[in-house]
C-alpha cells in the first residue's frame, strides 16, 4: 500500500506546476501567440524556471524598448525645436536681406537721379540795350566786355561748383554704411580757352558799332566753348563716380540676392525636414502609446505566473497536509506525505530563487 502511495505521489509531485502553467496559458496570450514549447528531456521544473526567466526577460526588454522609444521621441522633439529655431533665424535673416535690398534700391535711385546740369551762357544781362536792341554807346567798351566776360566765367565756375557739392553729398550718402572704399575727389581744374578779342587795341571805347558787335560775339563764343569744356570735364567725372558706385551697389545686390536665394532654399529644406520629423513624431507617439499599454499589461505577467505557482503550490501542500494530519493516517503515510511536501517545497524554493 505504501508503494502505491509513493508511486501516486511521485506522479503528482509535479502536478502543481502543470496546473500553474496551464492556468497561465489560459489567462495570457504569449508574444508569439503560442504556448511555450521546450526540448525533450527537460524537467518540468527546468521548463518552469525557463518560463519565469523568459517572462522577466521579455518584460525587462520591453522596458528597455519603451525607454529607448521615449529617448528617441525626446531626440526628435529636440531636433524639431532646433529646426524651428533655425527657421526663425532664417526668417529674420530674410527680413534683414529684404531691408538691405530695399536700401540698395533706394541708393541706386539716388544715383540714377544724379545729373549734371549744363550752364546756359547769357551775356546780354551784363549790358543795357537801346530801342534798336543794340548795346548803348557808353557801354561799348573793352573794359565792359572784359568785365562781363569775367563775371560770366565766375558764374560758370560757381554754377558747377554748387552742383558738384550737391552731387558729392548724394554720392557720399549713397555709399554710406556700405563696405566700400570709394572716394569722390573731383578734379577742379577744368581746361579753358583764352579770350582773344579782334578789335579795341587802342581806345577803350569802340567807335564802330560793328567792331564791338564782333568782339561781343567773340566773347560769347569763347564763354560757350569754355562752358562746354567745363561741363564735359565735370560730367565725365560724375559719370565715372556714378558708374563705380552703381557697380559696387550691383555687386552687393547680387550678393544679397544670392544669400536670399540660399536662405529660401534652406527654409524649404528645413520645412520639409521638420514636416517629416513631425510625422515621425506622431507615428512614434502612437507606437509609444501602444507600447506603454502593452508594457503595463506585460508587467503583470511575471507576477501572475508567480501568483499562480504559489496558489497551486499551496493547494497541493494543503491537500497533502490534510491527509498528513488525518486521524486514520498511518505513520508511514504521514512520513510519505511529509516527504513529498518537502520535495515540492524545495522545488518552489529553486524556482523562486532562480531569477
Amino acid at each position: 500500500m505504501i508503494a502505491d502511495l509513493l508511486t501516486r505521489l511521485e506522479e503528482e509531485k509535479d502536478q502543481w506546476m502543470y496546473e500553474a502553467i496551464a492556468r497561465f496559458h489560459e489567462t495570457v496570450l504569449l508574444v508569439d501567440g503560442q504556448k511555450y514549447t521546450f526540448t525533450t528531456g527537460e524537467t518540468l521544473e527546468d521548463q518552469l524556471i525557463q518560463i519565469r526567466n523568459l517572462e522577466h526577460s521579455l518584460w525587462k526588454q520591453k522596458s528597455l524598448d519603451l525607454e529607448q522609444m521615449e529617448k528617441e521621441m525626446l531626440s526628435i522633439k529636440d531636433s524639431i525645436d532646433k529646426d524651428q529655431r533655425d527657421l526663425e533665424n532664417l526668417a529674420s535673416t530674410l527680413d534683414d536681406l529684404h531691408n538691405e535690398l530695399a536700401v540698395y534700391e533706394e541708393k541706386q535711385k539716388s544715383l540714377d537721379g544724379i545729373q549734371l546740369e549744363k550752364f546756359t551762357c547769357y551775356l546780354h544781362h551784363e549790358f543795357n540795350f537801346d530801342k534798336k536792341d543794340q548795346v548803348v554807346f557808353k557801354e561799348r567798351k573793352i573794359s565792359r566786355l572784359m568785365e562781363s566776360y569775367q563775371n560770366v566765367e565766375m558764374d560758370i565756375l560757381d554754377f558747377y561748383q554748387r552742383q558738384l557739392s550737391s552731387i558729392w553729398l548724394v554720392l557720399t550718402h549713397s555709399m554710406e554704411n556700405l563696405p566700400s572704399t570709394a572716394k569722390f575727389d573731383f578734379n577742379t581744374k577744368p581746361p579753358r580757352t583764352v579770350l582773344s578779342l579782334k578789335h579795341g587795341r587802342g581806345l577803350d571805347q569802340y567807335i564802330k558799332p560793328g567792331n564791338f558787335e564782333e568782339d561781343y560775339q567773340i566773347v560769347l563764343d569763347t564763354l560757350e566753348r569754355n562752358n562746354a569744356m567745363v561741363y564735359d570735364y565735370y560730367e565725365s567725372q560724375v559719370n565715372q563716380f556714378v558708374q563705380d558706385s552703381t557697380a559696387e551697389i550691383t555687386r552687393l545686390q547680387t550678393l544679397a540676392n544670392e544669400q536670399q536665394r540660399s536662405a529660401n532654399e534652406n527654409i524649404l529644406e528645413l520645412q520639409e525636414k521638420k514636416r517629416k520629423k513631425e510625422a515621425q513624431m506622431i507615428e512614434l507617439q502612437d507606437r509609444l502609446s501602444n507600447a506603454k499599454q502593452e508594457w503595463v499589461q506585460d508587467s503583470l505577467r511575471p507576477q501572475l505566473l508567480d501568483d499562480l505557482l504559489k496558489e497551486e503550490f499551496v493547494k497541493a501542500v494543503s491537500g497533502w497536509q490534510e491527509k498528513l494530519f488525518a486521524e486514520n493516517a498511518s505513520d508511514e503515510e504521514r512520513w510519505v506525505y511529509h516527504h513529498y511536501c518537502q520535495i515540492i517545497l524545495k522545488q518552489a524554493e529553486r524556482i523562486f530563487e532562480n531569477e
Side-chain angles (χ1 to χ4, degrees), residues 101-115 170-171 173-175 242 245-246 249-250 253:
L101 286 167
V103 169
Y104 294 150
E105 184 176 354
E106 187 63 30
K107 289 180 181 293
Q108 187 59 56
K109 287 181 179 178
S110 297
L111 291 175
D112 293 340
I114 292 176
Q115 186 174 4
V170 174
L171 287 170
H173 179 71
S174 296
M175 302 308 290
V242 170
S245 299
T246 297
I249 290 177
T250 300
Q253 284 177 318

Side-chain angles (χ1 to χ4, degrees), residues 32 99 104 134 176 239 262 294 354:
D32 58 2
N99 294 333
Y104 294 150
Q134 292 181 341
E176 188 178 13
N239 288 340
S262 178
E294 292 180 4
N354 193 301

Side-chain angles (χ1 to χ4, degrees), residues 103-348:
V103 169
Y104 294 150
E105 184 176 354
E106 187 63 30
K107 289 180 181 293
Q108 187 59 56
K109 287 181 179 178
S110 297
L111 291 175
D112 293 340
I114 292 176
Q115 186 174 4
L116 186 66
E117 183 182 351
K118 191 172 184 179
F119 183 81
T120 301
C121 291
Y122 294 109
L123 194 57
H124 62 270
H125 64 276
E126 297 287 333
F127 296 92
N128 292 308
F129 293 82
D130 58 21
K131 294 180 180 180
K132 295 180 180 181
D133 202 25
Q134 292 181 341
V135 177
V136 297
F137 177 76
K138 66 179 182 178
E139 293 182 6
R140 297 176 190 170
K141 297 180 180 180
I142 296 174
S143 56
R144 285 287 292 167
L145 275 176
M146 294 301 297
E147 181 184 357
S148 300
Y149 172 80
Q150 291 170 1
N151 289 339
V152 176
E153 279 271 271
M154 291 293 293
D155 289 343
I156 291 173
L157 295 177
D158 182 65
F159 179 82
Y160 290 115
Q161 285 297 327
R162 283 187 285 107
Q163 281 196 85
L164 292 179
S165 296
S166 298
I167 290 173
W168 183 89
L169 289 174
V170 174
L171 287 170
T172 303
H173 179 71
S174 296
M175 302 308 290
E176 188 178 13
N177 299 325
L178 298 184
S180 173
T181 59
K183 294 183 179 180
F184 309 107
D185 297 328
F186 284 96
N187 293 322
T188 55
K189 293 183 179 181
R192 285 177 293 169
T193 59
V194 178
L195 175 63
S196 179
L197 298 178
K198 186 175 181 181
H199 306 284
R201 290 183 176 84
L203 298 174
D204 185 33
Q205 184 77 46
Y206 285 95
I207 303 299
K208 296 180 180 181
N211 291 345
F212 173 79
E213 292 173 358
E214 189 173 355
D215 280 353
Y216 181 95
Q217 190 61 47
I218 289 173
V219 168
L220 184 57
D221 291 343
T222 302
L223 287 172
E224 289 179 344
R225 283 198 302 271
N226 285 341
N227 179 45
M229 292 173 66
V230 173
Y231 174 80
D232 292 341
Y233 177 79
Y234 287 126
E235 185 190 36
S236 64
Q237 295 183 65
V238 169
N239 288 340
Q240 187 62 52
F241 289 146
V242 170
Q243 288 175 11
D244 293 344
S245 299
T246 297
E248 182 64 16
I249 290 177
T250 300
R251 183 186 71 81
L252 294 172
Q253 284 177 318
T254 301
L255 179 60
N257 282 320
E258 179 61 26
Q259 292 173 340
Q260 190 179 57
R261 183 193 62 77
S262 178
N264 279 319
E265 288 179 354
N266 289 336
I267 284 177
L268 291 176
E269 183 179 347
L270 269 175
Q271 286 175 337
E272 179 63 17
K273 286 172 60 178
K274 183 169 175 283
R275 186 192 64 76
K276 289 182 179 179
K277 290 175 184 177
E278 288 171 342
Q280 184 181 3
M281 184 82 165
I282 293 173
E283 180 184 354
L284 188 58
Q285 284 175 333
D286 291 340
R287 287 170 50 201
L288 183 60
S289 177
N290 294 333
K292 283 183 177 180
Q293 293 178 6
E294 292 180 4
W295 178 82
V296 171
Q297 294 173 356
D298 292 346
S299 66
L300 304 176
R301 289 165 60 108
Q303 186 60 48
L304 173 63
L305 179 59
D306 287 351
D307 291 344
L308 293 174
L309 284 169
K310 290 173 183 178
E311 287 179 12
E312 293 299 329
F313 170 77
V314 170
K315 188 188 298 183
V317 171
S318 297
W320 288 348
Q321 284 182 340
E322 184 179 343
K323 294 177 181 179
L324 169 65
F325 295 113
E327 293 181 0
N328 60 348
S330 65
D331 291 340
E332 290 84 356
E333 289 175 333
R334 288 191 176 93
W335 180 88
V336 170
Y337 284 120
H338 174 74
H339 176 69
Y340 273 92
C341 282
Q342 292 299 312
I343 288 176
I344 65 174
L345 176 62
K346 293 297 181 182
Q347 286 177 328

